[in-house]
Amino acid sequence: MSPQLSLLPKTFIPLLPFRCPPLTRLSSVVAARTMTSQSNQRVFQLRQDPLTGTSEWIVIDENDEAGAPVTSTDGLLATTSYLDMLNDTRRNRAYRLAIEKTITEPCHVLDIGAGTGLLSMMAARAMGDKEESCVTACESYLPMVKLMRKVMHKNGMTKNINLINKRSDELEVGSDIASRADVLVSEILDSELLGEGLIPSLQHAHDMLLVDNSKTVPYRATTYCQLVESTFLCNMHDLQSNEARMSDGVRLVPPVLESLFGIKSQQYSMHVDAIEKEIKLVLISLTFLYSFAIRFGVYTHRLSLYIFIQLSEPIKVFEFDFWKRPESNGELDVHIEAITEGSVHAIISWWVLQLDSEGTIFYSTAPRWIESNSEIGARDWCDHWKQCVWFTPGAGVSISKGEKVHLHAAHTCTNILYNLKKAHEITHSSFSTGELQLTFPPERVAIYGDSVYRQSIFEATRNAFQGLSDAQCLVIDDSILLPLMALHISNGSRVISLSPGLQENAARYLEAIADSNGFSKDRFKYFREGKAKLMEAYPSKIDLLIGEPYYYGLESGLPWQNLRFWKDRTLLDSVLSKDAVVMPYKGVLRGCAMYLPDLWKSRCCLGSVEGFDHALVNTTLGGCGDLPSGKDSPCLPFFVWQCGETKKLSKEFTVMEFDFSKPIAGPCSGEVQIEFTKPGVCHGIALWMDWVMDKENSIVISTGPGMKLITLTVLIKRRDERYWKQGVKLLGKPVTVGVEGLSSIGIKASLDPSSNGELIITHTLC
């Protein structure tokens, strides 16, 4: 582990070019670097401006006082999942019961990844105020350390807990802690289970920090999986099959060149309950060839049996015991015989946590169609732990009645991988290690495979080229579809691509598929020298400036962060010819009042959490509800359709518009009064961007929840609208609307595209 990453928050950042445990709970910070002295510690964190792609170092000082003036570090924790996690009452209760059951006498307890200190305080309370009691809490991320100190002080627990600002693998017995710990409490789990570094953390703890035969909470975790058929999931990875049915003449995945483009072979977190009605569960019989082989040749155990089950019953995959040192790698083989036909498009996985050694306290992330026993109970919606989806390659694996397929699972220190093949296709090499030329998120693959979206992009690009001959076309975003569309539509055009996020990968990819798409390489240029050099090379020579807009790495961000297109267009104004065409022509910020009870509950302000006052964390963690005067909850990005129970309470409305035909002239603002069209309880406003592709408003691409692709007067063929995230602004308190409740809501919004693109939104209920 590099020294500058030693204080990274528990988050995986999509913009990072590597995966590093434990990184799973913060989305606004890219890297961290520490500098210490005897009296003070500082953390330098790299924060990106999504509207420019540039970064700045911000300083977090250990001695910053609560109540100090607002600084650039404010909001670092407001976009994390810590609040959602602390609002998960079933999780909190399970940990409390297990800790009270496990810690029955004074001892030394170690808490790894302490967060706000909830588990540490539970452990200290369970032992009582006795001299022999000792809780060591380690937390690597300085802003969270500072917050935990305040929580401990508020609850009178500062003398009971020794808080250390280090990673657990940096702790040394005799230096940081006086002796090895008797009990380990931890919550270093992500949706996949292993992504926060569970295995290496447990390995180091058992090797260096815990006594022999130590107790742990949790006690064990077990992963399960299920083979499913789902057209929706298939569309999120099988672009080649979808392109074969299209007539636009462009192929992003030409035949025999499948390895150039796709998604990473990994699990993706998703609320699969939202697609429950679309999933087909195939009846199968299983022949287990249970092979749990440690890669380092420690042992191999095989068990063969023959049973008949439904796929709606879980297949047990891996079991991880926290109370002993885990192995770094393991494998499992399952032979499956189908007793009905179907196509396996994906493998859905989840885990069950056993928190006590007796097996009476459980927590499960299983989808709701999986029956659970009374000890586990029903699971409330929460966003910090979802299910995971692994996509089968290509169009999936078709199975006939009686046909056998082979499922191979393997885990590393940080992830779980699957492979599914027909029995006669089994080879010794079960997992592909080849590198794709370009990898995209599944949602982007699905968008490029949507026939209505492709048709609209094709028509918009064709309209933009009308009247232009031998045009110079500049694609300024990370679209790989638009350069090919432009080259295909205008035989005499020359296309220049910036691809600021994909860079050389996009250049190599487009050059590789040039021949198969029928255009010569000399008509395409990837400009490597940057925007400044571009203005020198092409002064007033660009006839067409286009984008979808799409910027690689912003998929998990707020929709209006793609206004980077307007900022780039403004910067490149000098390269445009007098009558240059800009596509899209404008952006429109749209919204809708929403019923969002599950999301609001997961983000609402905290009070007492299992007997510990957490009210002071609400502002820092971005809670909605009873906040101090002048404080407000942030807009956060969500797939609204995955947010549990939802309902629209108003018609869609326009908040403000952004004219891309002109450079940015200053801040933008909008105001609108909205009538509620349905009675119910309003929890917040969903916000998204519509992209008006041409001056005539003939083609509009919407990224809203439940939207369709539309023209000005005619509704085009329906498309799947679930591939874009929306921004959600939750209200301080839910309000009853319609009939006997409030009748309207006033929305005011402002955004300065020339700065960091933060949307300031306020509302007035009427």
Side-chain angles (χ1 to χ4, degrees), residues 2-222:
S2 176
Q4 68 264 27
L5 298 178
S6 61
L7 291 185
L8 273 172
K10 300 165 77 174
T11 299
F12 172 66
I13 309 301
L15 299 183
L16 283 172
F18 54 85
R19 185 172 183 177
C20 176
L23 305 174
T24 56
R25 288 188 184 141
L26 185 62
S27 59
S28 60
V29 178
V30 175
R33 186 170 295 168
T34 60
M35 182 175 69
T36 61
S37 67
Q38 292 183 346
S39 60
N40 190 22
Q41 179 170 342
R42 288 181 175 180
V43 176
F44 295 84
Q45 288 193 304
L46 190 63
R47 183 166 59 184
Q48 286 197 326
D49 181 345
L51 290 193
T52 62
T54 59
S55 305
E56 64 171 341
W57 288 99
I58 57 175
V59 180
I60 303 170
D61 196 307
E62 185 179 25
N63 291 337
D64 286 346
E65 297 292 336
V70 175
T71 69
S72 60
T73 65
D74 281 15
L76 287 179
L77 294 171
T79 58
T80 67
S81 62
Y82 283 104
L83 186 67
D84 176 88
M85 189 168 52
L86 290 166
N87 269 312
D88 186 349
T89 55
R90 206 163 58 85
R91 164 197 173 270
N92 301 337
R93 182 175 182 272
Y95 265 97
R96 176 181 61 78
L97 292 175
I99 287 173
E100 291 174 351
K101 188 175 182 180
T102 303
I103 304 174
T104 57
E105 59 185 6
C107 60
H108 182 189
V109 179
L110 173 64
D111 181 4
I112 293 179
T116 62
L118 178 62
L119 303 188
S120 293
M121 292 188 294
M122 287 179 178
R125 182 175 61 187
M127 290 185 287
D129 192 11
K130 299 179 181 179
E131 291 185 4
E132 310 96 299
S133 302
C134 176
V135 177
T136 299
C138 65
E139 170 58 52
S140 64
Y141 186 44
L142 183 56
M144 184 55 70
V145 169
K146 293 162 59 180
L147 188 61
M148 180 176 170
R149 287 190 183 123
K150 298 174 186 176
V151 174
M152 290 193 302
H153 179 76
K154 177 69 174 179
N155 288 278
M157 302 292 285
T158 53
K159 69 176 182 179
N160 305 80
I161 301 168
N162 177 30
L163 174 57
I164 302 175
N165 183 199
K166 286 186 177 182
R167 291 171 55 100
S168 64
D169 57 10
E170 296 173 331
L171 296 181
E172 295 183 4
V173 175
S175 175
D176 299 296
I177 57 178
S179 63
R180 287 177 176 251
D182 305 294
V183 180
L184 170 67
V185 298
S186 64
E187 195 278 82
I188 44 176
L189 316 172
D190 66 351
S191 295
E192 192 179 5
L193 186 71
L194 305 181
E196 288 193 17
L198 173 65
I199 288 179
S201 296
L202 288 177
Q203 288 175 336
H204 180 267
H206 281 287
D207 290 344
M208 308 299 296
L209 304 176
L210 300 176
V211 300
D212 294 337
N213 302 315
S214 57
K215 298 179 180 180
T216 63
V217 178
Y219 182 79
R220 174 182 292 131
T222 306

Side-chain angles (χ1 to χ4, degrees), residues 592-602 640 643-647 649 681-686 728-730:
C592 182
M594 299 289 298
Y595 171 70
L596 300 165
D598 295 318
L599 181 59
W600 195 91
K601 182 181 177 182
S602 76
V640 168
C643 288
E645 191 176 0
T646 67
K647 184 173 69 174
L649 299 177
V681 177
C682 181
H683 295 91
I685 308 297
V728 177
K729 178 68 173 180
L730 293 171

Side-chain angles (χ1 to χ4, degrees), residues 225-235 237-238 278-286 311 315 334-349 389-401 403-408 418-422 425:
C225 77
Q226 182 176 43
L227 280 61
V228 301
E229 178 178 321
S230 167
T231 301
F232 173 75
L233 295 178
C234 185
N235 288 338
H237 66 93
D238 184 23
E278 304 172 50
I279 288 178
K280 178 181 178 182
L281 307 176
V282 186
L283 290 172
I284 64 167
S285 69
L286 297 178
L311 256 186
I315 301 170
V334 182
H335 288 173
I336 303 171
E337 180 180 341
I339 59 175
T340 187
E341 65 178 9
S343 294
V344 182
H345 295 136
I347 297 174
I348 291 174
S349 67
V389 177
W390 182 86
F391 299 98
T392 56
V397 177
S398 298
I399 51 177
S400 303
K401 182 178 180 179
E403 190 173 10
K404 293 182 179 180
V405 292
H406 173 255
L407 173 66
H408 181 56
Y418 295 98
N419 202 352
L420 188 69
K421 293 185 177 182
K422 301 286 186 72
E425 297 174 343

Side-chain angles (χ1 to χ4, degrees), residues 257-466:
L257 294 177
E258 298 92 340
S259 63
L260 295 180
F261 178 97
I263 64 172
K264 290 183 179 179
S265 181
Q266 67 180 49
Q267 295 199 80
Y268 294 85
S269 60
M270 179 185 295
H271 290 288
V272 298
D273 286 336
I275 56 173
E276 178 182 1
K277 295 180 180 179
E278 304 172 50
I279 288 178
K280 178 181 178 182
L281 307 176
V282 186
L283 290 172
I284 64 167
S285 69
L286 297 178
T287 301
F288 280 85
L289 181 60
Y290 188 81
S291 174
F292 194 85
I294 305 306
R295 287 186 181 273
F296 300 117
V298 176
Y299 65 87
T300 299
H301 174 70
R302 292 183 179 275
L303 173 67
S304 296
L305 62 155
Y306 189 77
I307 60 174
F308 291 88
I309 66 170
Q310 278 191 348
L311 256 186
S312 55
E313 296 297 327
I315 301 170
K316 182 178 176 180
V317 184
F318 293 116
E319 194 169 82
F320 301 93
D321 291 320
F322 288 50
W323 55 271
K324 64 181 181 181
R325 190 186 194 279
E327 299 294 342
S328 299
N329 301 81
E331 296 185 8
L332 168 74
D333 291 285
V334 182
H335 288 173
I336 303 171
E337 180 180 341
I339 59 175
T340 187
E341 65 178 9
S343 294
V344 182
H345 295 136
I347 297 174
I348 291 174
S349 67
W350 63 94
W351 46 261
V352 174
L353 206 61
Q354 177 185 327
L355 287 101
D356 65 327
S357 59
E358 292 81 8
T360 63
I361 305 170
F362 293 90
Y363 184 100
S364 173
T365 64
R368 61 188 174 200
W369 65 76
I370 300 297
E371 292 185 5
S372 60
N373 58 40
S374 57
E375 287 85 1
I376 296 177
R379 178 173 181 258
D380 295 329
W381 186 93
C382 64
D383 200 50
H384 62 101
W385 286 327
K386 310 177 182 71
Q387 297 77 45
C388 282
V389 177
W390 182 86
F391 299 98
T392 56
V397 177
S398 298
I399 51 177
S400 303
K401 182 178 180 179
E403 190 173 10
K404 293 182 179 180
V405 292
H406 173 255
L407 173 66
H408 181 56
H411 78 77
T412 66
C413 281
T414 55
N415 56 24
I416 298 174
L417 303 173
Y418 295 98
N419 202 352
L420 188 69
K421 293 185 177 182
K422 301 286 186 72
H424 65 274
E425 297 174 343
I426 298 174
T427 62
H428 293 293
S429 178
S430 299
F431 293 97
S432 172
T433 57
E435 291 293 328
L436 293 168
Q437 193 80 35
L438 278 181
T439 58
F440 283 89
E443 290 80 13
R444 177 52 42 174
V445 173
I447 289 169
Y448 282 154
D450 188 285
S451 60
V452 181
Y453 181 83
R454 288 276 287 258
Q455 177 188 351
S456 301
I457 290 292
F458 179 85
E459 292 178 358
T461 307
R462 183 177 60 186
N463 293 345
F465 271 102
Q466 283 185 354

